[in-house]
Amino acid sequence: MSRAAVLFVALAAVACGRGSYTVQPNGPARVDYSPAEHLRVMLPASGNQGDEGGRVISGRVVQVLQQTHADVQLIASADLSAALAEARTAKAAYLIQPTVTAWSEGHAPPFTADQLGVRLELIDVASGAVVNTATFENSSSLFEVSDSPPSSLLN
């Protein structure tokens, strides 16, 4: 399987809804990987989603990847250098760096839509290079009758 499959599996489950996603291979060729390889997921940088929203996003990615991989762990850092160092110590093959590209919460349903955009970068821990990028975008219906945070769009 290619490393694109790692991101595809993560996004397939995260994106099960009205959203869209794209995958961009950044590496020159397909790379074989094993579900036995160690994966690490870091927290996204602070932004509109706040710390709780960031933990929900990273936690969802971990949850999805644990369905197909033996060793997936959350690194409780949003700092790339620190996360790479921790991933190297754990002998992880890849680090997934989520970036929140859109987080908009409509507080007065109906007729307000929540929006969520997440970019996942698959980083080769040995080289520190981004080898794949996937994006996910979703928005709630304009006719929602209850107010829920944008992170609910991951379900």
Side-chain angles (χ1 to χ4, degrees):
M1 288 185 126
S2 71
R3 58 187 168 210
V6 172
L7 285 177
F8 179 76
V9 168
L11 284 176
V14 170
C16 55
R18 300 167 288 265
S20 64
Y21 63 90
T22 58
V23 177
Q24 281 183 305
N26 294 351
R30 177 182 160 147
V31 173
D32 289 332
Y33 85 102
S34 164
E37 287 183 318
H38 309 290
L39 301 176
R40 296 296 180 263
V41 179
M42 63 183 286
L43 296 173
S46 293
N48 291 341
Q49 79 279 358
D51 290 340
E52 182 180 344
R55 287 188 184 282
V56 169
I57 290 167
S58 293
R60 181 71 170 130
V61 173
V62 168
Q63 181 183 37
V64 168
L65 288 172
Q66 285 177 335
Q67 296 174 17
T68 56
H69 292 76
D71 182 21
V72 182
Q73 302 282 327
L74 177 65
I75 293 177
S77 176
D79 179 63
L80 180 58
S81 297
L84 274 171
E86 190 172 332
R88 285 183 182 117
T89 300
K91 300 188 184 335
Y94 297 105
L95 172 68
I96 297 174
Q97 178 183 28
T99 302
V100 177
T101 59
W103 182 279
S104 150
E105 186 168 0
H107 290 287
F111 308 119
T112 58
D114 293 339
Q115 295 181 335
L116 174 66
V118 178
R119 181 179 65 241
L120 300 176
E121 292 180 332
L122 185 68
I123 300 170
D124 177 30
V125 172
S127 68
V130 175
V131 294
N132 241 344
T133 303
T135 58
F136 165 74
E137 296 174 345
N138 201 356
S139 62
S140 63
S141 168
L142 285 174
F143 301 105
E144 292 287 326
V145 293
S146 63
D147 188 23
S148 57
S151 60
S152 66
L153 297 171
L154 294 171
N155 296 329

